[in-house]
Amino acid sequence: MSNVVALDHLFDARRLWRGQPQARPPSRQPTGFPLLDAALPSGGWPEGALSEVLLPLDGIGELTLLWPTLARLTQADGLVALIAPPYLPFPAAWANAGVRLDRLQVVRAEPRDVPWATEQCLRSAACAAVLCWPHQADDRTLRRLQLAAETGQCLGIAMRPVSAAAHASPAALRLVMETRPTRLRVLKCRGGTPPAQPLPWPLPTGTSETLPDSPVMAVPDRA
């Protein structure tokens, strides 16, 4: 058995290199909620990466979490793609949230085609953000979406069931929306440690403006 060598001697002899942590640059994609931005290492959505929003059920206000970002991106002429949303978007609610409808594209796809359609949009560099609702997404699929978001430098967001929290994911950020009690939990955040305490929901915006409470989706797009 080899002799045990103290690390200090290896450092002093320059035989072992000590890495230095480097802070990530601040995100250029703030969430629009100061409390959430303060809880994230980069101060916003991870850029050029895939994020997940994990839900116990649809229609609990999950889109109000995204509207400030989508409004900002579309107002800057960015294109936002919605891949296979479970319900048809309610235009008045999206417009009232500040989202430019002419910069919003809804892509209908069969469940088996959702990952492929999402990957193409992420990779294209034509979209500022891509939202998808995959029925099933294994580790390989999520890694492809993460790589596509990096390649296209696009903000990717996957809306997934809360049961996915039991499985590891390559996504840079994972948020869990809970209803009992109502709160938002940061499950994973690249470059830092998730806050120990959940955040209140709805999140305060820090401004006098409020987002609409009207339904965000209308007629079901699929059974």
Side-chain angles (χ1 to χ4, degrees), residues 82-138:
L82 310 181
I83 313 296
Y87 303 94
L88 295 177
F90 183 45
W94 287 72
N96 196 33
V99 179
R100 281 179 53 188
L101 300 182
D102 63 322
R103 302 305 295 165
L104 191 66
Q105 294 289 328
V106 178
V107 179
R108 296 190 179 187
E110 295 296 326
R112 65 177 182 274
D113 297 327
V114 171
W116 179 86
T118 303
E119 182 180 355
Q120 301 312 304
C121 289
L122 287 171
R123 192 182 297 275
S124 69
C127 299
V130 176
L131 278 64
C132 66
W133 285 260
H135 276 245
Q136 295 180 343
D138 56 19

Side-chain angles (χ1 to χ4, degrees), residues 178-199:
E178 301 177 342
T179 57
R180 298 182 180 179
T182 303
R183 59 189 186 178
L184 182 69
R185 184 159 53 93
V186 181
L187 184 65
K188 171 188 175 183
C189 50
R190 183 176 62 186
T193 302
Q197 299 298 323
L199 304 176

Side-chain angles (χ1 to χ4, degrees), residues 48-49 119 122-125 144-154:
E119 182 180 355
L122 287 171
R123 192 182 297 275
S124 69
R144 290 183 66 90
L145 297 185
Q146 168 64 24
L147 180 59
E150 292 178 2
T151 301
Q153 283 300 292
C154 182

